[in-house]
């Protein structure tokens, strides 16, 4: 299920969002920014996400939101990135 999350800044390391198993694409939903929301991912790695309700998505999904990605790696998602 999609949960609300607030990333806490860590100035000395990259924050990694991944599955518990950390072994294959699509093991968790990923990060969703919904219409009207705002957000930022900075110095983060997002991997092995992108499967929700049986469909493949990217690690980060943005639907009508204002989002900034800065120094972010999107790795091994269930679907290829789209713009």
């Amino acid at each position: 299920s999609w949960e609300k999350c607030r990333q806490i800044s860590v100035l000395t390391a990259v924050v990694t969002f991944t599955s518990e198993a950390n072994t294959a694409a699509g093991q968790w939903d990923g990060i969703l920014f919904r219409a009207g929301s705002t957000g930022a991912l900075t110095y983060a790695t997002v991997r092995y996400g992108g499967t929700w309700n049986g469909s493949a998505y990217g690690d980060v999904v943005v639907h009508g939101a204002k989002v900034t990605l800065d120094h972010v790696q999107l790795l091994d998602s269930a679907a290829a990135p789209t713009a």
Side-chain angles (χ1 to χ4, degrees):
S1 67
W2 297 97
E3 299 292 333
K4 292 182 180 179
C5 175
R6 180 179 303 265
Q7 177 180 338
I8 297 172
S9 297
V10 179
L11 298 178
T12 59
V14 172
V15 175
T16 299
F17 297 90
T18 189
S19 68
E20 185 175 351
N22 197 27
T23 57
Q27 291 180 326
W28 64 291
D29 295 341
I31 298 172
L32 169 65
F33 293 94
R34 296 179 187 260
S37 67
T38 60
L41 289 174
T42 304
Y43 290 98
T45 298
V46 185
R47 67 183 309 162
Y48 297 134
T51 299
W52 183 73
N53 205 20
S55 297
Y57 296 92
D59 286 326
V60 175
V61 177
V62 179
H63 287 289
K66 183 177 180 181
V67 177
T68 301
L69 303 178
D70 182 30
H71 292 87
V72 174
Q73 289 185 320
L74 305 175
L75 304 172
D76 306 309
S77 67
T82 59

